[in-house]
Amino acid sequence: MVFTYLHNAARAEEVTKAVEAKRAALPCPQADAADYHATEEAVKRTLDEFGQIDILVNNDGGYSSILPHPCKMNGCG
């Protein structure tokens, strides 16, 4: 398992320690999942270390800038 984090390094370390207590090492490179190039680099580092990715979940929790903001479309802003 590998996960990335953006801001809260202390929380990422807590999660890492909790998982490591149950299994082997858990890499967690810092990367903004909403940033294509940062995500691409995190994937590359993971592939370099493990050779494959079985499951990839990219959940940035952010708003996509590809679509217009709803208020701009509906005139609410």
Side-chain angles (χ1 to χ4, degrees), residues 26-41:
L26 175 64
C28 62
Q30 183 176 8
D32 180 352
D35 179 325
Y36 175 84
H37 296 293
T39 303
E40 182 178 49
E41 181 60 28

Side-chain angles (χ1 to χ4, degrees), residues 13-30:
E13 183 66 23
E14 288 175 25
V15 171
T16 298
K17 287 181 180 181
V19 172
E20 287 177 339
K22 305 259 183 224
R23 73 179 287 273
L26 175 64
C28 62
Q30 183 176 8

